Every structure is written in structure tokens, then in C-alpha cells.
Amino acid sequence: ASASSSTRNNNTMSVNETAAGRLFDEIADADDPTIATMEGICKLCEQLDIDPLEDIRILVLLHKMGADSKPAQITRGEWMQGCERMQVDSIAKLKNLLPGLDPGFMECARR
């Protein structure tokens, strides 16, 4: 584990893993704290000031975070990897990503 930790610290920007983990803990399922289900994702949407039923950017965000093990949920591992990849560890940083989340790729799937 120490080798991967030192590799991670070589990034030009760093993510506060503790803060990213706390964000996940806030949305994690009460019965299984290793996943965030739709209930937790809806909590995240509230924190981001977006409507989970109307704003497709939450789906784009989950896709970019790497949430692909099961539909409508994200695992702690996917969340942590996504936070590192996207350099986010706070609601403010996630909000800053929202304008750049282009749902255009979803249009191709609808045709």
C-alpha cells in the first residue's frame, strides 16, 4: 500500500482523501456503508443544488466518477478513484464541475 500512496502523492494537484471519504460517508447507505444508492445520490444532488429527477448532469457526474458496477449507485472505491481522477474533495469543487458536465454523449444513445 505504501508504494501506491507515494505514487499518488506525485500528482501535481492533490486530493484530500479524508475529505473525499467524508463526502462519501454523508451519502453512504445506512445498511451498507460501502455504497451510495439513489437515496444518497439524491442527498448529493441537494448539496449540489440540482434536481436529481430533472438534471441529467448527475448521471454524467456519476459516469465520470466511474460508477459502473451497478445502475443507480456508486461504491466507495469508485467514489474515491473518481475524486482523485477529477481532483475533487468538496461540494464546492463538485459544484465547479457542473457547468462542464456535457450530457451531449447521452443524445447519441437516445437515437
Side-chain angles (χ1 to χ4, degrees):
S2 61
S4 64
S5 297
S6 62
T7 305
R8 235 182 272 139
N9 292 336
N10 290 337
N11 289 346
T12 52
M13 295 176 66
S14 66
V15 170
N16 182 329
E17 289 185 26
T18 304
R22 268 194 233 115
L23 280 178
F24 186 83
D25 291 341
E26 290 178 23
I27 64 168
D29 188 75
D31 296 326
D32 183 353
T34 65
I35 61 167
T37 59
M38 276 310 294
E39 186 177 336
I41 292 166
C42 287
K43 275 189 217 171
L44 178 63
C45 288
E46 286 174 20
Q47 294 172 328
L48 295 173
D49 298 322
I50 61 175
D51 183 341
L53 301 176
E54 298 289 327
D55 198 328
I56 200 166
R57 291 177 299 175
I58 189 61
L59 298 176
V60 179
L61 176 63
L62 291 172
H63 173 74
K64 287 185 176 264
M65 294 281 285
D68 57 10
S69 59
K70 285 190 180 177
Q73 75 177 38
I74 187 167
T75 67
R76 183 179 192 85
E78 291 167 342
W79 175 269
M80 297 303 289
Q81 289 175 352
C83 284
E84 187 169 328
R85 183 172 48 253
M86 299 176 73
Q87 295 295 301
V88 292
D89 54 17
S90 68
I91 291 298
K93 288 179 183 177
L94 284 167
K95 279 184 177 184
N96 286 340
L97 287 179
L98 290 177
L101 296 179
D102 181 14
F105 78 92
M106 308 266 309
E107 292 298 320
C108 297
R110 288 190 202 143
R111 291 187 185 136

